[in-house]
Amino acid sequence: SQQGEEDPQALSIQEGENATMNCSYKTSINNLQWYRQNSGRGLVHLILIRSNEREKHSGRLRVTLDTSKKSSSLLITASRAADTASYFCATLRMDSSYKLIFGSGTRLLVRP
Amino acid sequence: DAGVTQSPTHLIKTRGQQVTLRCSPKSGHDTVSWYQQALGQGPQFIFQYYEEEERQRGNFPDRFSGHQFPNYSSELNVNALLLGDSALYLCASSLVGNSPLHFGNGTRLTVT
């Protein structure tokens, strides 16, 4: 079963615009991670936010975490065509320290 | 510094057959996790190996088994293949603990 669910399932924006993806989860977590996947290839880790953190930045990426609402968001600023990919949130649950559980992903299309 | 490598990249098998997929972790990593990703879905956790032992297992039948060798490389074996086993199989390595996963590019398995 999947712990995280992303919203929206698909997103199409113009180059230069910001893209926001949301993730909701069900149980208490140790940390939440975001990954990117291009065209069915391997996933690439983007950013990790721990349960005691509320916001984290990495380059054009900004991640927030609201443990009271069991939700996270990923913001990509000034998007580029190269950002076109699927984005997945993944959670490491408190009761299951080794199993990273992925959501179903958001497919982002950035139009040139 | 080689990342995670998987072999083969593509494989076509017939129902009822058996398959072995291979994975070499990123240099310095000691933990290997396997995931199954169906088309349009997020990766599903199969199991994780650490110190040559299966440390945790997802909701997969016993037809799925694995092994980790002293050099940390790993194999995933699937017996009695079903059509529903057709998917992208991803191997990911990490350091013991809750560090981010480094993924290979996967093995695309097609069962006919």
Side-chain angles (χ1 to χ4, degrees):
Chain A
S1 63
Q2 291 179 318
Q3 157 84 318
E5 293 298 331
E6 286 90 340
D7 168 59
Q9 291 186 330
L11 181 60
S12 179
I13 59 173
Q14 203 73 34
E15 204 166 28
E17 293 180 337
N18 295 341
T20 299
M21 289 158 264
N22 302 298
C23 169
S24 61
Y25 57 91
K26 298 173 185 172
T27 61
S28 296
I29 61 171
N30 183 304
N31 66 57
L32 185 145
Q33 303 175 32
W34 285 89
Y35 288 80
R36 163 195 169 128
Q37 184 178 38
N38 286 81
S39 303
R41 293 173 65 84
L43 284 78
V44 175
H45 177 258
L46 297 176
I47 198 163
L48 180 155
I49 186 164
R50 293 183 169 77
S51 60
N52 61 352
E53 296 175 314
R54 291 297 167 259
E55 188 171 313
K56 212 162 182 182
H57 297 255
S58 176
R60 293 184 297 114
L61 305 180
R62 173 179 169 254
V63 169
T64 62
L65 178 64
D66 187 335
T67 53
S68 66
K69 295 181 179 178
K70 292 187 170 57
S71 67
S72 173
S73 67
L74 170 67
L75 168 68
I76 303 174
T77 59
S79 63
R80 306 165 181 167
D83 293 329
T84 294
S86 291
Y87 292 82
F88 295 91
C89 71
T91 54
L92 199 65
R93 286 163 38 168
M94 283 289 195
D95 61 351
S96 180
S97 299
Y98 310 123
K99 185 166 67 173
L100 197 61
I101 302 176
F102 286 81
S104 51
T106 292
R107 290 178 297 283
L108 174 65
L109 172 65
V110 182
R111 305 187 304 275
Chain B
D1 178 20
V4 179
T5 58
Q6 292 187 243
S7 63
T9 55
H10 294 84
L11 203 52
I12 299 175
K13 290 286 189 178
T14 304
R15 273 179 302 176
Q17 286 188 318
Q18 178 264 344
V19 68
T20 297
L21 311 182
R22 295 176 175 82
C23 172
S24 291
K26 179 179 167 69
S27 177
H29 285 183
D30 56 10
T31 303
V32 173
S33 303
W34 286 92
Y35 285 81
Q36 179 196 67
Q37 186 179 25
L39 205 59
Q41 300 296 316
Q44 297 283 312
F45 178 82
I46 303 176
F47 40 53
Q48 184 182 88
Y49 277 84
Y50 171 67
E51 291 189 339
E52 302 179 49
E53 300 226 345
E54 183 184 289
R55 183 157 71 171
Q56 189 156 17
R57 188 179 183 90
N59 189 26
F60 279 80
D62 292 344
R63 297 187 298 108
F64 290 77
S65 63
H67 190 78
Q68 186 179 34
F69 299 93
N71 66 353
Y72 307 118
S73 66
S74 177
E75 287 182 349
L76 164 65
N77 301 291
V78 187
N79 295 322
L81 285 166
L82 304 173
L83 295 179
D85 295 331
S86 295
L88 180 67
Y89 287 85
L90 294 162
C91 170
S93 71
S94 59
L95 284 171
V96 64
N98 298 332
S99 59
L101 299 181
H102 292 250
F103 282 85
N105 283 327
T107 294
R108 173 72 62 187
L109 173 66
T110 302
V111 182
T112 63

